[in-house]
């Protein structure tokens, strides 16, 4: 409505006090919390732009690209996505060179995005979005938002979702090449967004269909080495799993799929009385398995696991006491409602005698990452997002928690920031655990701009060594990958 | 999607398997006109189209076709003229047996990995196309269908 029409309408309605459009927009904006920018819409691709250095200088030897993925378009004129996990995947490339840094972002050109765009409404069902029966869905890949993570492999950047195939993206141009089909008989098989990568480059991943899973093994080249179908003891919600050098560790939380309804998340029941199970499979023989019992908890993300000499398997996890955030909170945040969660760091130990231990800590933690050179091997350090603001769903700090010392080295970006995942980048010639840098982004709500930060991994609390700021504020994303050089 | 893999696995599996190639039936007393079917959009010129013609919702959902054809694929398009049908409602389903093994291939979770389609280009909505979307009338003048597959 233009200004004149608005005023005319207001007059016709006989309003005692005329509200100007400026006032109306200001009131509408004020009704949304500042953090709503974190779940805002990006209307189109972002051409490559230079980032402005706002602090420090980049460390010598750091060069490469931080690729990140996350939902970035939720709303369309005829109807919106109603869950955070159902926005269209936007692949961002933060390229760091010796003298400058840049940002470029392109949406993954999915069938879902095309279908929703053509309908001018989000009609495609998703994790928590009901969608419409107008949507054409021949397989889960027709609902694939390709919005969760990225796997660089074999010269491709695979944009990962959870219940369908990866989408192949050109790492140089970010153009979508199409749905990745490893072989004809593997078309549309699900491929989780959290593959586990051995230090030598072999990739392990799962895909789920209720109580059945496909176990993927990819060579470092990206070629499929093997796929195996395995049965699971329950139809648990599985977003992530973990692995040691010898085992796959599948945590089966008591959020259990027991009905056939849409959207996906509504097909699950929370049954805490049934506890959490942990299934450990031998990588060399997937029929060799052990099952452990733990108290009930909800989780999205696990840290890398390792096996000790006596056979004890250890891994850390970011736990919550209930699935409320997944079911409700991640819906609410799209409408600006606070979405509390209590996610914190815990360590699990699976002992050779069959006992399982869960040791919770009070440390707020999400998006756990570790030194990829030690994936599956003994380690003590976990990279996390941390620092909670009351009444806000997203964290505002980052850090490294050390299991050996029990200490956390944290940096608080401050109340104006929403933190995003940090990744480790080795310093050339430094083989120590986390000997190098942490690279990650934040959304500066006050500046309404996305920032890129580099930390010394050994001194996170000192703050970034270098920060850059983009001209745009992109919504908060999920997971990324670093490609050096 | 996800949970629907269970449902679709079973239904999709039947989609391909029930399309048996049957012999043409004797011409009924009162014949409808010819049904001209054009299959277009074929991207892989190998194998064959396996076509089933159904005369009821129950049959379409997993019963026997009244007619069945195997059309060798050698280009982007294939055609079939169907005669001898009685006037009434029909629906067609077709899958492209790309590797020519005579069955609709599925992945490990039962989801089709070979292209399929139905008359009226009826869409899949969390499962195979529905009779309601795919049905068309065959009259004394016959009927025409152009079905895009692949």
């Amino acid at each position: 409505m233009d200004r004149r029409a608005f005023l005319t309408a207001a007059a016709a309605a006989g309003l005692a006090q005329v509200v100007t459009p400026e006032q109306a927009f200001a009131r509408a904006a004020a009704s949304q919390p500042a953090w709503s920018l974190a779940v805002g819409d990006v209307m189109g691709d972002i051409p490559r732009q230079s980032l402005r250095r706002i602090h420090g200088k980049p460390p010598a030897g750091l060069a490469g690209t931080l690729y990140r993925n996350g939902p970035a378009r939720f709303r369309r004129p005829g109807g919106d996505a109603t869950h955070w996990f159902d926005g269209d995947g936007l692949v961002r490339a933060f390229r760091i060179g010796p003298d400058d840094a840049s940002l470029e972002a392109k949406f993954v050109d999915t069938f879902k995005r095309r279908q929703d765009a053509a309908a001018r409404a989000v009609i495609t069902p998703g994790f928590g979005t009901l969608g419409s029966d107008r949507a054409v869905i021949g397989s889960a890949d027709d609902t694939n938002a390709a919005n969760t993570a990225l796997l660089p492999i074999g010269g491709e950047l695979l944009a990962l979702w959870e219940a369908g195939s990866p989408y192949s993206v050109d790492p140089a141009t970010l153009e979508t090449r199409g749905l990745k089909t490893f072989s004809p008989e593997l078309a549309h098989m699900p491929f989780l967004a959290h593959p586990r990568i051995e230090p030598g480059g072999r990739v392990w991943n799962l895909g789920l269909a209720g109580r059945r899973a496909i176990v993927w093994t990819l060579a470092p080249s990206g070629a499929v080495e093997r796929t195996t179908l395995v049965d699971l003891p329950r139809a648990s919600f599985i977003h992530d799993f973990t692995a040691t050098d010898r085992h796959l560790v599948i945590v089966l939380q008591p959020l259990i799929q027991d009905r056939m309804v849409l959207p996906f998340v509504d097909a699950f029941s929370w049954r805490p009385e049934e506890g959490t199970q942990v299934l450990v499979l031998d990588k060399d023989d997937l029929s060799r398995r052990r099952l452990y019992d733990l108290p009930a908890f909800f989780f999205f993300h696990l840290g890398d696991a390792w096996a000790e000499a006596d056979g004890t398997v250890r891994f850390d996890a970011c736990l919550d006491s209930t699935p409320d955030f997944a079911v409700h909170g991640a819906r609410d945040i799209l409408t600006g409602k606070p979405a509390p969660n209590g996610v914190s760091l815990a360590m699990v130990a699976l002992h050779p005698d069959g006992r399982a231990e869960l040791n919770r800590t009070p440390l707020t933690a999400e998006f756990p990452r570790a030194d990829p050179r030690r994936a599956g091997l003994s380690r003590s350090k976990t990279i996390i997002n941390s620092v909670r603001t009351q009444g806000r769903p997203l964290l505002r700090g980052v850090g490294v928690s050390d299991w050996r010392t029990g200490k956390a080295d944290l940096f608080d970006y401050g109340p104006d920031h929403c933190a995003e995942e940090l990744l480790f980048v080795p310093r050339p010639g430094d083989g120590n655990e986390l000997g190098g840098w942490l690279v990650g982004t934040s959304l500066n709500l006050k500046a309404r701009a996305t920032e890129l930060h580099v930390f010394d991994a050994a001194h996170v609390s000192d703050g970034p060594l270098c920060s850059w700021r983009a001209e745009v504020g992109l919504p908060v994303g999920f997971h990324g990958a670093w490609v050096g050089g | 999607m996800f949970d629907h893999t269970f449902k679709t696995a079973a239904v999709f599996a039947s989609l391909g398997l029930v399309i048996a190639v049957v012999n043409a039936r004797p011409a009924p007393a009162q014949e409808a006109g010819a049904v001209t079917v054009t299959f277009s959009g074929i991207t892989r010129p190998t194998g064959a189209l396996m076509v089933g013609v159904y005369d009821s919702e129950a049959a379409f959902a997993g019963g026997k076709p009244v007619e069945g054809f195997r059309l060798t694929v050698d280009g982007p398009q294939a055609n079939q003229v169907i005669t001898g049908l009685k006037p009434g409602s029909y629906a067609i389903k077709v899958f492209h047996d790309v590797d020519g093994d005579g069955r609709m291939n599925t992945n490990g979770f039962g989801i089709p990995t070979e292209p399929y389609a139905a008359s009226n280009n009826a869409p899949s909505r969390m499962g195979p196309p529905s009779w309601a979307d795919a049905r068309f009338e065959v009259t004394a003048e016959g009927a025409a269908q152009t079905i895009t597959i692949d």
Side-chain angles (χ1 to χ4, degrees), chain A residues 129-145:
Chain A
T129 299
L130 182 58
S132 156
D133 63 8
R134 288 186 289 148
V136 171
I137 300 156
S139 78
D141 277 322
D142 291 343
T143 70
N144 188 337

Side-chain angles (χ1 to χ4, degrees), chain B residues 28-35 82-88 90 137-143:
Chain B
Q30 192 188 8
E31 274 193 14
V35 179
I82 305 167
T83 57
L85 296 176
K86 284 191 279 190
Y90 293 88
E137 294 301 316
V138 179
T139 66
E141 284 74 45

Side-chain angles (χ1 to χ4, degrees), chain A residues 228-246:
Chain A
T228 309
L229 293 178
V230 298
D231 291 321
L232 303 176
R234 54 165 67 156
S236 178
F237 170 61
I238 298 178
H239 174 76
D240 189 9
F241 72 106
T242 187
T244 76
D245 55 346
R246 288 174 281 148

Side-chain angles (χ1 to χ4, degrees), chain A residues 404-472:
Chain A
R404 201 160 285 141
T405 64
K407 290 180 180 164
D409 177 22
L410 300 178
F411 178 73
D412 181 357
Y413 288 120
D416 293 330
H417 285 253
C418 295
E420 299 184 272
E421 181 186 70
L422 277 187
L423 294 176
F424 172 68
V425 180
R427 182 186 290 114
D430 189 338
N432 294 316
E433 183 180 359
L434 293 194
W437 305 291
L438 303 178
V439 178
T441 46
S442 71
L443 175 62
N444 184 328
L445 301 170
K446 195 170 179 186
R448 300 184 71 80
T450 293
E451 295 181 1
L452 173 65
H453 310 281
V454 179
F455 295 85
D456 182 333
H459 302 284
V460 180
S461 54
D462 289 353
L465 297 170
C466 185
S467 297
W468 295 265
R469 185 178 292 169
E471 291 166 14
V472 293

